[in-house]
Amino acid sequence: MVLWSNEQDKLPDIDMSTGAIEMKKEGGPLTPAFLDSNCSVQPVILSKGPEEATPEAGGEYELKEVTSFTDRASETGEDEDRSEIVAVMDCVPNAKGQREEDALLENASQSNESDDTSNDQSPEPPAPLKETSFSIGLQVVFPFLLAGFGTVAAGMVLDIVQHWTVFTEVTEVFILVPALLGLKGNLEMTLASRLSTAANIGQMDTTKDMWKMIMGNLALIQVQATVVGFLASIAAVIFGWIPEGHFRLGHAVLLCASSVATAFIASLLLGLIMIGVIIASRKVGINPDNVATPIAASLGDLITLSLLAGISTGLYKELGNNYANPLVCAVFVAMCPLWVLIARKIPSTREVLYSGWEPVIIAMAISSVGGLILDKTVTNPNFAGMAVFTPVINGVGGNLVAVQASRISTYLHMNGLPLGDPNPVPRKCPTPCVTFFGSTVNSRSARVLFLLVAPGHLVFLYTINSLRGGHTTLTPIFISFYLSAALLQVIILLYLADWMVHWMWGRGMDPDNFSIPYLTALGDLLGTGFLALCFHMRWFIGDRDSNAGN
């Protein structure tokens, strides 16, 4: 590139075959110069005289930095003014430099046109799916009903097994129920949300990426399931020991073995099912966020509760054997290092392996408090009918809020908003009106999900009544209290989801890994607490019928 201080039309004659430069001067010799790193013009001191710098010499100069032209004049004794200054940046005896210069100028012009594209070289994320309220409802309603019937089946199972010997002799098993059923929110729903987001943003398009994501996530949830199952058993032992005041080592080992084995096997089965559902959803053009989490919930409660009842009963029969229960615990705990090694090989799961424990453990503790409420309520003969409804109200609330949290998280990922800065202006805490009556797609989905609560619960209550499940007659008073509790639970959860997902995103935490465990655990606590309150109020006003279904 050649710069002239004055007459721009008088460029040097360049022989393109040799790259030689013929300098024309007026009123005095021209002083070649170069641009330094600060874009200042510095003169070039020739190692030979200008007349000796011939094209045969290849146009090579020795560059020496001079602080100013005054110093240069004092060194050479030249006092005359120079009307023209030439800056020579690359005197290579061929035409390659000219072509490179043209390419650089073109790139510079393109970078000036758009600074955003120059700063972000990653491919643009796919545009969010255009969804109406009808399309959202159509995609959600069938998985929602399927999940609801799964929770009804789980409630029927709990209503039956609550009279088994292991549940009557070791009542702390009831404390394990919400904590282990909550694994669907802590692990399976988080897995479904994480894989749904990865599928929507194109991280599972190739077979290699898909298998890496699958193996890493399966190993991750096995580690989390083992640890959470072990901690849940410790929480059950503590919550059972504090009111009674005495500790039984055999019961503690039984709880530990039952919890760890149930969590491990249930997570493995549900993880495989979730992977199949998400891959199939993408192939048929359905948004995985709308179907993956409800299906995880529908099968999760039934599978987990059945496994817990069967495993705990089998281990209770071996309670006299001093080696069976400790051996079961040792086997599952010993496999943890293997799953850790597999999960560490995948970048996306490595981060969760190191930083994703806080929400899982806190959610387990919250669910255990709900389990304590269930234990103290179900063991009261006046509230025996609560067992069949607990998985239903907890499951429906957890399913709906998990769908909403997964949708909001996918929305933030697909719109390319930077993690840690969702909006140019910090987002204030949303009001309920903004959450439910806004014009955004997330408000639209919140309205659709809320409208599913009452019809869904009426269908599930009718199903339970038709199957003669539970110990409670469905009187109008009970139905009114039950629906009020369910609606209040879902309103609180959907509002918390809108606030929590954006809050976590603004602080650099991926909502797929952090929000759903908290929300489903709060759903378990709110659902169990509100349901217990319903039974107490029903008993208080005299609407008593505890013999139905016996």
Side-chain angles (χ1 to χ4, degrees):
M1 181 176 65
V2 180
L3 302 178
W4 294 80
S5 60
N6 288 326
E7 298 171 322
Q8 299 294 331
D9 58 329
K10 295 186 179 181
L11 296 176
D13 295 336
I14 302 176
D15 187 354
M16 301 305 294
S17 62
T18 63
I21 302 177
E22 180 181 352
M23 302 182 186
K24 296 183 180 180
K25 57 182 179 178
E26 291 184 1
L30 296 178
T31 302
F34 71 99
L35 295 177
D36 64 7
S37 60
N38 295 324
C39 297
S40 303
V41 178
Q42 302 291 348
V44 177
I45 301 177
L46 306 180
S47 58
K48 301 179 182 180
E51 66 279 5
E52 296 176 4
T54 60
E56 289 76 7
E60 297 179 356
Y61 299 99
E62 178 182 353
L63 303 182
K64 295 183 179 179
E65 182 177 354
V66 180
T67 57
S68 66
F69 291 110
T70 305
D71 297 337
R72 165 63 178 157
S74 63
E75 290 177 8
T76 59
E78 299 174 357
D79 297 331
E80 65 272 19
D81 295 335
R82 290 166 175 78
S83 60
E84 297 171 343
I85 301 173
V86 181
V88 182
M89 295 192 64
D90 189 7
C91 297
V92 180
N94 51 47
K96 180 180 178 181
Q98 185 68 21
R99 292 195 301 269
E100 292 178 348
E101 176 186 333
D102 295 339
L104 291 173
L105 291 174
E106 182 179 357
N107 291 336
S109 63
Q110 292 176 354
S111 63
N112 290 332
E113 290 175 2
S114 177
D115 292 337
D116 295 337
T117 57
S118 63
N119 292 334
D120 186 8
Q121 299 296 334
S122 59
E124 294 184 359
L129 299 175
K130 302 298 182 181
E131 294 178 302
T132 63
S133 297
F134 178 77
S135 64
I136 295 173
L138 189 62
Q139 293 185 31
V140 171
V141 65
F142 295 107
F144 168 73
L145 292 175
L146 178 62
F149 288 124
T151 60
V152 169
M156 299 292 292
V157 171
L158 182 60
D159 186 51
I160 295 172
V161 302
Q162 67 174 328
H163 304 294
W164 288 10
T165 304
V166 65
F167 283 85
T168 56
E169 296 296 328
V170 188
T171 59
E172 293 85 357
V173 178
F174 281 110
I175 302 177
L176 289 177
V177 170
L180 293 180
L181 296 186
L183 285 178
K184 71 179 185 296
N186 297 343
L187 304 182
E188 279 76 32
M189 284 187 178
T190 301
L191 169 67
S193 178
R194 193 161 54 239
L195 293 181
S196 297
T197 300
N200 279 324
I201 64 178
Q203 293 183 355
M204 296 178 63
D205 291 344
T206 64
T207 304
K208 181 180 178 181
D209 293 340
M210 182 180 67
W211 279 109
K212 287 176 61 177
M213 190 72 67
I214 289 173
M215 296 303 296
N217 280 278
L218 281 179
L220 174 65
I221 64 172
Q222 296 313 114
V223 178
Q224 292 179 324
T226 304
V227 174
V228 171
F230 180 75
L231 295 178
S233 65
I234 294 178
V237 171
I238 294 175
F239 287 152
W241 166 66
I242 292 177
E244 297 180 3
H246 62 274
F247 176 77
R248 297 180 181 178
L249 181 60
H251 288 183
V253 177
L254 170 65
L255 290 173
C256 180
S258 302
S259 180
V260 171
T262 300
F264 183 91
I265 298 174
S267 295
L268 180 60
L269 294 176
L270 292 172
L272 294 173
I273 294 173
M274 282 301 93
I275 291 169
V277 168
I278 291 170
I279 294 175
S281 299
R282 292 296 295 174
K283 289 186 179 296
V284 299
I286 298 177
N287 187 352
D289 287 319
N290 294 334
V291 297
T293 49
I295 291 178
S298 65
L299 300 174
D301 287 345
L302 180 59
I303 292 176
T304 303
L305 192 54
S306 300
L307 286 172
L308 176 62
I311 293 174
S312 60
T313 299
L315 294 177
Y316 180 78
K317 294 178 180 179
E318 301 294 332
L319 196 59
N321 188 342
N322 296 327
Y323 302 100
N325 291 339
L327 182 62
V328 172
C329 292
V331 169
F332 286 106
V333 172
M335 288 191 291
C336 279
L338 174 62
W339 309 126
V340 171
L341 291 176
I342 297 175
R344 287 181 59 186
K345 294 182 179 180
I346 311 301
S348 59
T349 56
R350 185 189 305 124
E351 179 183 357
V352 182
L353 182 65
Y354 293 145
S355 62
W357 291 102
E358 178 184 348
V360 173
I361 295 175
I362 294 178
M364 179 274 302
I366 295 173
S367 296
S368 297
V369 176
L372 180 61
I373 297 175
L374 177 65
D375 179 29
K376 298 305 177 183
T377 307
V378 171
T379 52
N380 186 339
N382 296 324
F383 308 124
M386 180 177 169
V388 71
F389 301 107
T390 301
V392 178
I393 191 171
N394 291 351
V396 170
N399 298 346
L400 295 177
V401 74
V403 170
Q404 181 70 353
S406 181
R407 289 179 59 87
I408 298 175
S409 177
T410 300
Y411 174 83
L412 294 175
H413 279 92
M414 292 183 68
N415 281 272
L417 299 174
L419 190 65
D421 185 19
N423 290 304
V425 180
R427 189 176 190 269
K428 298 180 180 179
C429 182
T431 62
C433 291
V434 173
T435 300
F436 293 98
F437 301 105
S439 58
T440 63
V441 66
N442 295 325
S443 298
R444 193 180 307 130
S445 63
R447 292 193 294 269
V448 171
L449 296 174
F450 177 74
L451 292 176
L452 292 175
V453 176
H457 273 294
L458 289 176
V459 172
F460 304 145
L461 290 176
Y462 175 78
T463 303
I464 293 173
N465 187 63
S466 299
L467 297 175
R468 301 296 296 169
H471 304 268
T472 303
T473 302
L474 299 182
T475 63
I477 295 178
F478 173 76
I479 294 176
S480 299
F481 284 154
Y482 181 86
L483 291 180
S484 299
L487 290 171
L488 183 60
Q489 175 205 30
V490 173
I491 287 178
I492 295 174
L493 291 177
L494 291 177
Y495 173 74
L496 289 176
D498 188 25
W499 167 77
M500 185 178 294
V501 172
H502 287 90
W503 182 83
M504 289 181 172
W505 184 272
R507 279 152 183 79
M509 297 183 290
D510 191 348
D512 283 329
N513 300 323
F514 288 88
S515 63
I516 293 181
Y518 289 123
L519 293 170
T520 54
L522 289 172
D524 292 341
L525 179 59
L526 292 175
T528 306
F530 288 159
L531 187 60
L533 184 62
C534 287
F535 274 86
H536 280 82
M537 292 179 63
R538 177 174 175 267
W539 182 265
F540 179 75
I541 64 176
D543 187 23
R544 306 172 184 178
D545 186 4
S546 60
N547 295 321
N550 281 342

